[in-house]
Amino acid sequence: MGLQKKVTGRGYYAMLLPMAVLLLLFIYYPIVRGMGTAFMHYTMMNLSLTRFNGLENFVAIFANPNIKFLQILGNTALWVVFSLAGQFILGFTLALLLRKPFKGRGVYTGCVFYTWALSGFAIGLLWSWLFNGQFGIVNDLFMKAGLLKTPVGFLSNPRYALPSVIVANIWYGIPFFAIMLLAALQSVPRELYESAEIDGAGKARQLFQITIPYIKSTITTTILLRFMWIMNFPDVIYGMTGGGPANSTNILATEMINKITKSYDFGQGSAVGLIIVVILFIFAFFYLRVVAKKELSL
């Protein structure tokens, strides 16, 4: 009892203090500092000219004649929507297949999920070799199957570059959905399926009336998290194309890094980062609002 009284007083705040300090130093301070930098002329080419410049960074980004901002926004939308849809559909299918026990399931599951632990940049390099226009295995397979007569520059042709990096990103993200949804599927009571079978419900009806409603909260959370991660995930693109050719694979996240690593312009890089934050905030607000309305209407 005496020990409990000691812990419930100032002791709790003392134990929380180290974590609070770490959060302030490594999470909130960089966020606030980055937001402030977005409104400054801050370039490593001449630090003596660092000053507050209002909205000039945003105007320069929108009015850049060499890199059209609308093209970057379009690329980002296609990158996020198709990657998310592909990862969810294939990940959910994989989770359904892995739900039932079979011989060697543990080994197979470990091999599938192992790819999620690999570096995104390394995955990008791997897929850049597969899609290589001269010696890539994808061209070789398509030509042997009779689908192509001559090799295609999947990553050098602006027409095919974005679909190619999206395919690689879908492959990379499938294990995440499979892991999350498989854990949720294992919590669905078996009795529900047995009762549905007695009532004559088929597999499709069981899926849409039992499985999906039961794991709806997990689906909602994973889609929101994955949306944010994909939008902030330039690793695969950087490993495969670096944002080219002709900006055909340039998204907001790669443009932000380009501003910092190639132009050394931290002001404009922070401005692009702030645009990403605003887009994610708006999406999360309306997404959660729509989900909440649907739950209330049920």
Side-chain angles (χ1 to χ4, degrees):
M1 188 67 181
L3 179 61
Q4 186 177 3
K5 284 184 178 179
K6 290 180 181 177
V7 175
T8 54
R10 298 176 180 176
Y12 279 132
Y13 296 103
M15 288 188 287
L16 290 174
L17 184 61
M19 183 55 65
V21 172
L22 290 175
L23 286 174
L24 287 172
L25 284 177
F26 296 106
I27 302 294
Y28 294 106
Y29 173 73
I31 291 175
V32 174
R33 188 75 175 84
M35 292 175 67
T37 307
F39 300 94
M40 297 176 66
H41 178 81
Y42 194 133
T43 172
M44 297 299 289
M45 302 300 290
N46 193 344
L47 288 173
S48 63
L49 296 178
T50 301
R51 58 179 172 78
F52 176 78
N53 65 355
L55 298 175
E56 288 183 12
N57 289 329
F58 297 92
V59 174
I61 291 169
F62 285 110
N64 190 338
N66 299 320
I67 302 176
K68 296 180 180 177
F69 189 71
L70 288 179
Q71 181 187 9
I72 297 175
L73 278 181
N75 291 341
T76 306
L78 294 173
W79 163 257
V80 173
V81 171
F82 284 100
S83 295
L84 185 64
Q87 291 177 6
F88 173 72
I89 293 171
L90 296 176
F92 193 15
T93 304
L94 182 60
L96 290 172
L97 293 174
L98 292 175
R99 180 176 53 172
K100 294 183 179 180
F102 58 87
K103 189 176 181 180
R105 187 179 72 163
V107 176
Y108 181 77
T109 304
C111 293
V112 171
F113 292 166
Y114 172 71
T115 58
W116 179 244
L118 297 176
S119 161
F121 186 76
I123 295 296
L125 291 176
L126 174 66
W127 277 91
S128 69
W129 296 331
L130 295 177
F131 278 122
N132 188 282
Q134 294 180 337
F135 50 83
I137 191 173
V138 175
N139 267 314
D140 188 49
L141 290 175
F142 281 175
M143 290 177 70
K144 286 181 178 177
L147 299 175
L148 292 176
K149 292 182 180 179
T150 56
V152 173
F154 288 104
L155 301 180
S156 58
N157 188 329
R159 183 179 179 183
Y160 305 115
L162 185 58
S164 299
V165 296
I166 289 174
V167 168
N169 194 35
I170 289 174
W171 179 87
Y172 183 57
I174 289 173
F176 171 77
F177 275 106
I179 293 169
M180 300 298 290
L181 297 179
L182 179 60
L185 288 173
Q186 290 173 343
S187 66
V188 182
R190 181 63 190 165
E191 293 78 10
L192 294 178
Y193 295 109
E194 293 174 352
S195 301
E197 289 177 358
I198 293 173
D199 293 337
K203 295 296 182 183
R205 190 177 172 188
Q206 292 180 25
L207 175 66
F208 288 102
Q209 294 190 354
I210 297 176
T211 305
I212 292 178
Y214 203 90
I215 63 171
K216 185 179 177 182
S217 59
T218 302
I219 293 175
T220 302
T221 306
T222 50
I223 287 177
L224 179 60
L225 288 175
R226 197 64 191 135
F227 180 94
M228 295 179 175
W229 290 347
I230 291 174
M231 194 157 182
N232 289 308
F233 184 66
D235 305 38
V236 170
I237 291 180
Y238 244 90
M240 294 180 70
T241 64
N247 293 310
S248 58
T249 60
N250 199 12
I251 63 172
L252 284 171
T254 53
E255 178 64 10
M256 178 180 64
I257 296 176
N258 286 336
K259 290 289 185 186
I260 294 173
T261 59
K262 294 181 179 178
S263 304
Y264 305 105
D265 194 330
F266 283 71
Q268 291 192 19
S270 299
V272 176
L274 188 56
I275 292 171
I276 295 175
V277 171
V278 171
I279 292 174
L280 289 177
F281 179 80
I282 294 173
F283 171 80
F285 176 79
F286 286 104
Y287 177 78
L288 293 175
R289 193 167 182 177
V290 169
V291 170
K293 279 187 177 180
K294 286 187 176 180
E295 288 180 350
L296 289 174
S297 63
L298 293 176

